[in-house]
């Protein structure tokens, strides 16, 4: 029988914006980083210092949390590699980045972001609903950033293009505590 997961085994892979965004989103990222550290968990991130990605990692470290960043060599300058990370993994391709982020994570948490965030979220969400992994996939959306997307996905369930089961594989939370509770094993 495999042992019960310990606090040290919990690693939350956070997907979020890498572009300049309004302050309230940076504050949200910092709150998530603090929350991860308070629980004694590890943060897995895209390994950049920019925007929300940087905020979440800095806040996690300020709180004493461990941070792992995975960044493609081609983005080391553009996304300003997070050299303060406890572990900074520099890879060659985006696919390797996503693979290593997955491998280090026990849960996935998407915050407000753009198309890169959506791409990452959809991959772990779709692979969860077809049963390729059983890690929680959580979307934290306190201000309706994803409202249009979620409404459209509901329409897809109505017309049969998406199953109810697939939509239920994504946990949608509106505050940080609820989102992190959903990431717990
Ligand atoms: P964005 O939401 O567009 O600001 O992007 C958020 C993060 O997703 C950035 O760190 C991007 O480098 C990353 N990203 C964009 N496309 C991909 C992809 N295909 N695979 C993995 N990460 C990606």
């Amino acid at each position: 029988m495999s042992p019960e997961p310990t606090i040290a085994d919990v690693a939350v892979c956070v997907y979020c914006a890498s572009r300049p965004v309004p302050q309230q989103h940076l504050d949200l990222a910092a709150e998530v980083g603090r929350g991860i550290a308070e629980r004694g968990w590890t943060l897995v991130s895209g390994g950049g210092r920019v925007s929300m990605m940087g905020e979440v990692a800095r806040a996690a470290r300020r709180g004493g949390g461990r941070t792992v960043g995975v960044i493609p060599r081609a983005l080391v300058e553009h996304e300003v590699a997070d050299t303060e990370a406890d572990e900074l993994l520099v890879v060659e391709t985006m696919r390797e980045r996503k693979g290593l982020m997955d491998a280090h994570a026990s849960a996935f948490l998407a915050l407000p972001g753009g198309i890169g965030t959506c791409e990452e979220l959809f991959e772990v969400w779709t692979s969860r609903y077809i049963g390729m992994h059983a890690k929680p996939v959580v979307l934290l959306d306190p201000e309706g950033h994803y409202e249009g997307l979620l409404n459209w996905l509901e329409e897809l369930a109505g017309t049969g293009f998406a199953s109810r089961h697939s939509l239920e594989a994504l946990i949608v939370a509106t505050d940080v505590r609820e989102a992190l509770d959903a990431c717990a094993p």
Side-chain angles (χ1 to χ4, degrees):
M1 211 169 73
S2 51
E4 283 292 303
T6 65
I7 284 178
D9 295 324
V10 183
V12 182
C13 175
V14 175
Y15 303 127
C16 57
S18 61
R19 298 180 43 76
V21 294
Q23 186 62 40
Q24 80 261 27
H25 298 295
L26 301 175
D27 294 345
L28 178 72
E31 198 184 333
V32 168
R34 270 197 304 279
I36 289 172
E38 271 165 18
R39 290 169 188 240
W41 295 350
T42 294
L43 168 76
V44 180
S45 83
R49 281 196 230 182
V50 291
S51 187
M52 293 173 71
M53 203 183 356
E55 281 302 323
V56 69
R58 279 189 293 276
R61 281 195 293 273
R62 275 198 302 273
R66 177 176 150 71
T67 61
V68 178
V70 189
I71 193 163
R73 196 175 306 282
L75 292 181
V76 160
E77 270 186 43
H78 184 68
E79 293 188 350
V80 193
D82 186 13
T83 49
E84 307 288 306
D86 296 286
E87 213 179 322
L88 180 67
L89 305 167
V90 180
V91 296
E92 297 307 320
T93 67
M94 281 294 201
R95 279 166 197 267
E96 281 178 78
R97 177 197 233 181
K98 283 193 294 185
L100 273 187
M101 288 171 81
D102 289 5
H104 281 80
S106 62
F108 304 99
L109 173 59
L111 311 186
I115 58 176
T117 304
C118 289
E119 200 273 344
E120 292 168 315
L121 169 65
F122 271 81
E123 180 168 333
V124 291
W125 180 11
T126 51
S127 53
R128 160 111 197 190
Y129 94 76
I130 57 179
M132 300 192 76
H133 71 84
K135 300 174 186 179
V137 180
V138 184
L139 179 69
L140 172 57
D141 191 20
E143 298 196 11
H145 176 78
Y146 289 107
E147 196 181 324
L149 176 67
L150 294 174
N151 286 341
W152 179 68
L153 292 168
E154 272 299 321
E155 281 176 31
L156 293 195
T159 50
F161 281 92
S163 67
R164 190 52 51 203
H165 164 73
S166 64
L167 298 193
E168 285 167 3
L170 178 70
I171 301 164
V172 181
T174 52
D175 70 59
V176 172
R177 179 193 295 255
E178 184 191 357
L180 292 180
D181 284 351
C183 290

